[in-house]
Amino acid sequence: MDSISLTRPDDFHLHLRDGAALASVVGDSARQFARAVVMPNLKVPVTTVDQAEAYRRRILAALPAGSDFQALMTLYLSDNTATGEISRLVEHEHIVAVKYYPAGATTNAEHAVSTVEKVYAVLEKMSELSVPLLVHGEVTDAGIDIFDRERVFIERVLAPLMQRFTQLRIVLEHITTKEAVDFVRQGPDTLAATITPQHLVYNRNALFQSGIRPHYYCLPVLKREVHRQALLDVLSSGHARFFLGSDSAPHARGDKESACGCAGIYSAHNAIEIYAGVFDELGKLDQLEAFASHNGADFYGMARNTGQITLQKTDWTVPTTLPFADTEMIPFNAGEICHWKLMTL
Ligand code: DOR
Ligand code: ZN
């Protein structure tokens, strides 16, 4: 197959940042995706409905003229989140979920949840109102090896949480391990997972290829090949509770090429094209549409998009740098050949 058309896809996990950074990235997502679920981990986290509505207005204002891209907002869960804030969500159709970061787990997560018991009342309310909980599934305990943090989170936090809140709808975000794949696959219909391009394309060797490679560093960190294979297997299987969430997370080049480089990979520039390449290599291009355009909408209970995109099998070179606010960033696969290309209408 040299060309494929599919229903316009959605990105169910996206970091857009704010201000000039937002303006430099949002067009990339809008070119490929009809909608995106926008993460709330700004420097001042988006913890309230009013903040989420204001952030949404800034996103829409930063869009290229004529774009109909929809920003679906999330609230940042903290020990201080009030149940009343959750009750307000039902009147705000563009705020679709609540994001749970264990405190300190990643970029701007220091104000997040210290221990899950602190948010039981909020989870109860979410359960009652059927608001999905989006989970960054890693423990932060310094005694746990960084490559084990997802597995241990599932055992110690997620499994008990699901036993307590049996109706709560949960998306385990950016899964990276065989254990996560198995857990979600065997889980109830209320549990789903997103998968990023980087965890499908690379294993942890990419971080250390002839030297330390900060542009391959993200959280959860890349894992062993056996885990990447498990992600590819579940993709091949066409399981309906796994869907596209790029976790595109731009950082200025200097903030990554640093003695303490930030976590995050910018894939929004060509995310759908990377996923197409992955499905193509698996010989499963016919399943790209379900993963990218159906499964997520179905899980969230949203209408599927109308309209189509077309991708063509044609080589092009990813730029080596992209503008980012008043500086630059290095995109996913910078300077390398991408084999699929989104055709503009
Ligand atoms: O690599 C990551 N970057 N993982 C996250 O969970 C957050 C993200 C960011 O916001 O930079
Ligand atoms: Zn993320």
Side-chain angles (χ1 to χ4, degrees):
M1 233 190 301
D2 285 343
S3 162
I4 180 172
S5 292
L6 49 138
T7 305
R8 288 176 78 196
D10 298 312
D11 185 346
F12 278 92
H13 186 128
L14 178 65
H15 298 269
L16 284 175
R17 313 308 189 202
D18 210 348
L22 162 65
S24 33
V25 299
V26 70
D28 279 346
S29 293
R31 202 161 19 84
Q32 301 166 72
F33 297 102
R35 302 175 287 203
V37 171
V38 180
M39 292 301 124
N41 62 330
L42 301 182
K43 286 198 181 91
V44 176
V46 179
T47 55
T48 66
V49 166
D50 292 347
Q51 284 172 308
E53 288 290 356
Y55 184 29
R56 181 165 182 273
R57 287 192 290 274
R58 297 197 294 280
I59 294 168
L60 298 185
L63 280 170
S67 173
D68 64 352
F69 178 77
Q70 285 296 318
L72 305 173
M73 310 309 293
T74 58
L75 295 190
Y76 178 111
L77 188 57
S78 83
D79 292 357
N80 303 319
T81 302
T83 53
E85 213 57 32
I86 306 301
S87 305
R88 292 184 67 197
L89 291 186
V90 288
E91 293 144 34
H92 294 261
E93 61 168 326
H94 298 296
I95 309 177
V96 299
V98 173
K99 180 69 188 278
Y100 164 25
Y101 294 102
T106 188
T107 310
N108 299 332
E110 50 278 8
H111 310 290
V113 179
S114 62
T115 55
V116 71
E117 291 79 9
K118 294 255 169 89
V119 294
Y120 276 175
V122 168
L123 299 182
E124 191 65 56
K125 180 57 76 181
M126 287 172 59
S127 212
E128 194 185 306
L129 299 176
S130 200
V131 177
L133 181 72
L134 315 184
V135 178
H136 182 111
E138 290 192 289
V139 291
T140 53
D141 183 338
I144 305 293
D145 191 284
I146 189 164
F147 294 101
D148 295 332
R149 288 182 182 181
E150 183 174 277
R151 176 178 60 75
V152 174
F153 182 90
I154 291 168
E155 289 163 15
R156 290 193 191 165
V157 185
L158 186 57
L161 191 75
M162 288 175 58
Q163 273 173 5
R164 188 176 189 104
F165 299 97
T166 53
Q167 303 302 308
L168 184 62
R169 295 197 302 132
I170 296 175
V171 183
L172 186 55
E173 299 289 338
H174 42 55
I175 58 166
T176 62
T177 56
K178 182 174 185 322
E179 288 82 1
V181 168
D182 292 344
F183 186 78
V184 174
R185 218 196 305 241
Q186 289 155 19
D189 286 347
T190 48
L191 178 66
T194 55
I195 306 182
T196 76
Q198 62 264 26
H199 296 108
L200 292 167
V201 173
Y202 295 112
N203 65 34
R204 66 191 198 178
N205 285 346
L207 280 161
F208 308 106
Q209 193 72 52
S210 318
I212 189 148
R213 302 272 183 169
H215 298 293
Y216 292 84
Y217 175 57
C218 63
L219 287 170
V221 72
L222 296 172
K223 301 297 192 299
R224 282 179 183 275
E225 180 62 11
V226 63
H227 298 293
R228 188 178 81 92
Q229 287 299 330
L231 296 174
L232 292 173
D233 283 352
V234 79
L235 220 60
S236 291
S237 78
H239 195 298
R241 284 187 284 108
F242 294 80
F243 48 84
L244 190 159
S246 71
D247 198 17
S248 177
H251 290 278
R253 177 179 191 161
D255 290 338
K256 288 194 64 74
E257 296 175 7
S258 145
C260 186
C262 294
I265 295 178
Y266 186 68
S267 62
H269 178 66
N270 63 334
I272 193 66
E273 294 147 331
I274 306 165
Y275 285 109
V278 171
F279 277 88
D280 188 18
E281 279 195 22
L282 290 169
K284 299 277 180 181
L285 259 184
D286 57 324
Q287 298 201 17
L288 174 64
E289 184 175 40
F291 177 79
S293 317
H294 296 166
N295 296 351
D298 295 355
F299 183 82
Y300 274 78
M302 296 168 186
R304 293 180 183 178
N305 295 313
T306 54
Q308 294 219 312
I309 61 162
T310 298
L311 293 149
Q312 252 176 35
K313 194 164 189 174
T314 178
D315 285 356
W316 60 283
T317 306
V318 178
T320 50
T321 64
L322 290 173
F324 186 60
D326 56 357
T327 174
E328 62 178 16
M329 64 175 155
I330 310 289
F332 184 93
N333 273 355
E336 291 178 32
I337 305 285
C338 183
H339 300 300
W340 283 85
K341 184 138 192 60
L342 178 67
M343 297 289 107
T344 42
L345 301 174

